Amino acid sequence: MNRIPQICILAALALLAASCGGNSTLDDTESAVMLTVEVEEYNPEIDICGAAGIDVTISEMNVISRPKEPGGTLGPAQDVNITRWVITPSRSDGGTTASPEWAIDQGVYVPAGGDTKLENWRVFPAEYFLQLPLSNLLPENGGFDPETGQTNIRQTLQLEMFGRTVSGKAVSTEPINIAFNFYCVSP
């Protein structure tokens, strides 16, 4: 009788140890490449009234592929197909309500050990101008942010891209923060 609890404890520990293998398909550590994003040029000042219906874009950015191992070599099997972008806004002006997270499926090819230059890629949909907190800046809603009392809202958009190498390994970019100042100049 005394052995049954001991056997159960040993079985539970063995199951726990076996389940902690860290073999998640979303774990970017399984790829031999590391991806980074460099924003070269963008306009951080967004007039949501003047840009009504126009998505926020980054004028110029590069996605760069490098080996994780310093001095490592990469081949065509480590070329990356990015398939999903996730943008997570946060307030950088003291306010607490941020725009919702936005995910978009967009394909980008990045050669192993190389880079891909992107021009005018969307990072924020114009329909979010009509949602809280940015909709507070519209004249019909008072024209100011009730959390800060300001006529502008500063948000940082954290951009992260996800994809797979040609060989099927999961990979993601290092998250990058991009600062924007949203305001409304009434017509």
Side-chain angles (χ1 to χ4, degrees):
M1 251 336 166
N2 229 0
R3 297 184 81 206
I4 291 176
Q6 292 173 341
I7 291 172
C8 289
I9 291 172
L10 286 175
L13 289 174
L15 181 62
L16 180 64
S19 67
C20 292
N23 196 14
S24 168
T25 58
L26 295 178
D27 183 3
D28 70 357
T29 60
E30 64 182 58
S31 171
V33 297
M34 182 173 69
L35 296 177
T36 57
V37 176
E38 290 182 359
V39 174
E40 303 291 328
E41 180 181 331
Y42 79 107
N43 179 8
E45 302 293 322
I46 307 297
D47 177 0
I48 66 170
C49 292
I54 301 171
D55 293 329
V56 175
T57 62
I58 300 292
S59 303
E60 191 176 311
M61 67 179 146
N62 291 318
V63 182
I64 303 160
S65 167
R66 299 291 176 254
K68 276 188 181 172
E69 298 288 329
T73 58
L74 299 174
Q78 285 82 38
D79 290 353
V80 174
N81 290 305
I82 293 172
T83 55
R84 176 159 272 232
W85 298 38
V86 177
I87 293 89
T88 307
S90 62
R91 293 288 292 265
S92 53
D93 61 1
T96 58
T97 304
S99 295
E101 182 177 275
W102 186 56
I104 184 168
D105 295 326
Q106 296 192 99
V108 174
Y109 171 79
V110 183
D115 64 306
T116 297
K117 184 176 185 170
L118 305 174
E119 294 180 356
N120 298 315
W121 281 74
R122 299 182 331 150
V123 293
F124 195 78
E127 53 266 21
Y128 281 10
F129 298 162
L130 303 176
Q131 296 181 21
L132 291 175
L134 299 181
S135 62
N136 287 322
L137 302 178
L138 299 173
E140 60 268 24
N141 296 329
F144 71 96
D145 177 28
E147 290 185 9
T148 64
Q150 300 297 313
T151 58
N152 68 311
I153 292 177
R154 294 185 182 275
Q155 291 192 111
T156 298
L157 307 183
Q158 183 182 69
L159 168 64
E160 191 170 6
M161 301 175 191
F162 299 89
R164 293 201 170 272
T165 62
V166 171
S167 65
K169 304 290 185 182
V171 65
S172 65
T173 61
E174 294 287 323
I176 182 172
N177 291 325
I178 309 165
F180 284 95
N181 181 40
F182 296 93
Y183 58 92
C184 175
V185 175
S186 301

